[in-house]
Amino acid sequence: MVAWKRQLILFGGFHESTRDYIYYNDLYAFNLDAFTWSRLSPSGTGPTPRSGCQMTVTAQGSIVIYGGYSKQRVRKDVDRGTQHSDMFLLKAEEGREGRWAWTRVNPSGAKPTPRSGFSVAVAPNHQTLLFGGVCDDEEDESLEGHFLSDLHFYDPVRNRWFAGQLKGPKVEKRRRRRGRRGEPGDSSKQELKGTRAQEPLQVARELVAEDGTVATVQQGLAARGPAGQPESDDSDDGPSEAAVPAVEPSARSSAMLAVKHGRLYLYGGMFEAGDRQVTLSDLYCLDLHKMEEWTVLVEMDPESQEWLEETDSEEDSDEVKGAEGGGESEEDEDSGEEAREQRPSAAPGEPFADSLPRTEQ
């Protein structure tokens, strides 16, 4: 859903019951003055039914709809998901109030790879910004997700995608001292120094759950010198050169994005480690005017990611206490069993995680 003038424009979605599911490609408008809904019937061919697509409003007043997810049943109890990568423009027809038209567009440039669960925002130059997501490899009985952390921009004026490449912070090259150029061992030191500068460092943070499951998040760091600055080759000339970005957000889907005063803020998201879903709480900032490097505002706290679940060791300790005479009575045990049966098996906030597609959880 997006805000367009004095209306909210809503597209698509899905509904799933215990027996079946259905995806929609209908279009509605909510009038913010009259507080009324109306169904729109645009001319032209629009997107196929889907959910999880992203919508933004261009500077020209058109609405961009990109991507999305849908699934269909291929045989009994087997569904096949589709990650859409097509794009459409929804335009209000001039001089005809309430009349809209669909137009399918095929942008050029460095298009994002197919994915779902990506996040979008509007950059200061009215370009649509896309971050991350996940690409699923689906088999009949299994699903494996490859999470992404790339950045893309869509220019609606040029109808073109651009990869969001970071320049890295600007650093001044140091000048060599002429008197030390010919010193023995300098060449070997410089060679070793250059080798180290090309080796990116990896910082791994482990999230350990109480059941022993370990999920590892890796962040790439630029190789740094003794003073904490990225290494660079010395030369006689002193122009500034681009350095490797120091830190970037780890791969994830469903991150929250917001742009304020030309700065992109990225919060949280999720990724999967085996059968376990890990929710992130880190916060990053990127200056979209400079496009140099991400700044970490809030680091990820591994302890906050642990799952608080009842373990066998806790149950065993209760049994020991009961044997010593300090445990629960038979009536208390019955009430405790009833409470455990009523407790949802899914994580808080995800009561139907097993039955929903990834983009709709």
Side-chain angles (χ1 to χ4, degrees), residues 260-283:
K260 183 69 173 178
H261 297 314
R263 295 180 180 271
L264 170 67
Y265 295 90
L266 184 151
Y267 172 75
M270 61 82 63
F271 73 98
E272 294 175 354
D275 295 332
R276 184 175 296 277
Q277 293 183 350
V278 179
T279 303
L280 302 171
S281 60
D282 46 0
L283 179 64

Side-chain angles (χ1 to χ4, degrees), residues 37-54:
W37 284 103
S38 60
R39 181 165 182 171
L40 306 179
S41 300
S43 60
T45 301
T48 57
R50 64 192 63 190
S51 68
C53 57
Q54 299 293 345

Side-chain angles (χ1 to χ4, degrees), residues 1-4 8-13 26-28 40 47 50 52-58 62-68 88 90 100 102 118-122 128-129:
M1 183 171 67
V2 293
W4 184 86
L8 303 178
I9 307 298
L10 181 143
F11 169 79
D26 46 3
L27 193 69
Y28 289 85
L40 306 179
R50 64 192 63 190
C53 57
Q54 299 293 345
M55 304 171 63
T56 56
V57 180
T58 68
S62 300
I63 296 175
V64 177
I65 297 181
Y66 173 75
F88 294 82
L90 179 64
W100 297 74
W102 285 114
F118 54 87
S119 308
V120 299
V122 178
T128 297
L129 180 153

Side-chain angles (χ1 to χ4, degrees), residues 214-272:
V214 179
T216 303
V217 178
Q218 290 188 343
Q219 291 179 309
L221 300 179
R224 295 186 177 274
Q229 297 297 328
E231 294 281 7
S232 62
D233 295 332
D234 293 342
S235 68
D236 292 332
D237 298 326
S240 60
E241 74 172 9
V244 180
V247 178
E248 295 184 0
S250 59
R252 65 190 69 192
S253 69
S254 304
M256 300 292 103
L257 299 184
V259 176
K260 183 69 173 178
H261 297 314
R263 295 180 180 271
L264 170 67
Y265 295 90
L266 184 151
Y267 172 75
M270 61 82 63
F271 73 98
E272 294 175 354

